[in-house]
Amino acid sequence: MRSTDLTLRLPERMQLPVRTLEDELEFHREELLSWHVDPETKRVRFLSLIVGDRDAIRETAVDLDVVHRFDLTPIDADTFYAYAVMDVRAADATLMGAFDEPGLVIVPPIVYTGRERVHVTVLGEPDALARLVERFPEDVGVEVERVSDHQRRAETLAGRLTARQFEAMETARECGYYDVPRSGSLAEVASALDCSESAASTLLRTVESKLVDAALRR
């Protein structure tokens, strides 16, 4: 099986009709983790992990006529789970219909980094993947980031790391290297890893670079 990473740019008709301007709403990222469309009620139930202003996002969501339920479970000051029930609009059905082909599976999460921009990984047979781009409406911008044999690293942050890199990250965390303020030194990390400070520094910089890229869907 092969997979592809796509970045979609949604036209205004497919964006949620929120009254708050995007630059006034502190929203950083939404990871759509699970969803189910009820064919009888024409509503979708979904669970998301959201990073942003919890109160402002709640007020914005409940103000939408298409949203029938919006429950939050806080994780920290600006990260929370959201469970929502909302109508499937005609524009939503059109977008989801592009993926509704035998041989294709969406790999969660679907990541929103703005009202307009969506990042999605799709697993499927090569022929089905090749037809996918042509199935999107003409006004949806589609950027193909990657097409290759399916890579688990596209699904998780830690999955991008080698065993040694993961060990270095865990060791640095245990030593207090990532505490704020920092309570452990690079020398302590290097000693625990039984390597030079230069090698430890290279390992940690590589880990940080890969995790930043993963978080930004690079």
Side-chain angles (χ1 to χ4, degrees):
M1 299 290 281
R2 293 172 68 79
S3 68
T4 182
D5 295 335
L6 303 176
T7 295
L8 308 180
R9 292 187 176 273
L10 305 182
E12 186 174 355
R13 69 183 181 89
M14 288 187 173
Q15 300 171 26
L16 284 176
V18 300
R19 297 194 180 115
T20 307
L21 296 177
E22 190 161 0
D23 58 0
E24 296 177 354
L25 180 65
E26 187 179 336
F27 168 85
H28 301 291
R29 178 185 181 92
E30 176 183 4
E31 296 186 6
L32 183 56
L33 304 175
S34 178
W35 61 92
H36 173 72
V37 177
D38 187 326
E40 294 185 4
T41 63
K42 303 298 183 182
R43 292 177 179 176
V44 58
R45 302 189 301 270
F46 61 88
L47 177 69
S48 291
L49 179 68
I50 300 177
V51 181
D53 185 325
R54 185 167 66 236
D55 293 335
I57 290 172
R58 183 195 350 241
E59 290 177 8
T60 299
V62 300
D63 192 43
L64 294 172
D65 292 337
V66 295
V67 175
H68 299 278
R69 180 174 177 179
F70 194 79
D71 298 332
L72 303 182
T73 301
I75 297 175
D76 56 32
D78 58 2
T79 306
F80 57 92
Y81 286 108
Y83 172 77
V85 179
M86 64 181 290
D87 293 330
V88 177
R89 303 170 301 156
D92 301 326
T94 299
L95 181 63
M96 292 187 292
F99 302 99
D100 189 15
E101 179 176 348
L104 293 181
V105 177
I106 295 176
V107 181
I110 297 175
V111 179
Y112 291 79
T113 53
R115 192 181 307 168
E116 170 190 357
R117 184 177 297 181
V118 185
H119 310 274
V120 58
T121 296
V122 184
L123 174 69
E125 301 292 345
D127 289 345
L129 287 175
R131 293 190 296 268
L132 176 58
V133 173
E134 300 174 359
R135 292 174 58 86
F136 291 105
E138 291 184 359
D139 56 353
V140 174
V142 183
E143 183 175 351
V144 180
E145 305 285 355
R146 176 191 61 83
V147 179
S148 66
D149 290 338
H150 186 56
Q151 302 174 345
R152 180 169 178 79
R153 74 185 191 125
E155 301 167 29
T156 64
L157 298 180
R160 291 181 175 236
L161 307 179
T162 66
R164 181 60 169 170
Q165 290 164 354
F166 196 90
E167 179 190 12
M169 179 180 66
E170 282 192 310
T171 300
R173 180 70 181 85
E174 291 169 359
C175 290
Y177 185 78
Y178 289 120
D179 287 352
V180 181
R182 181 170 290 170
S183 61
S185 66
L186 181 62
E188 291 173 304
V189 176
S191 176
L193 291 172
D194 194 23
C195 66
S196 67
E197 289 190 37
S198 175
S201 178
T202 298
L203 279 168
L204 295 180
R205 287 200 308 273
T206 302
V207 165
E208 292 157 8
S209 175
K210 288 186 175 183
L211 295 187
V212 167
D213 283 349
L216 298 176
R217 300 287 289 186
R218 301 296 186 184

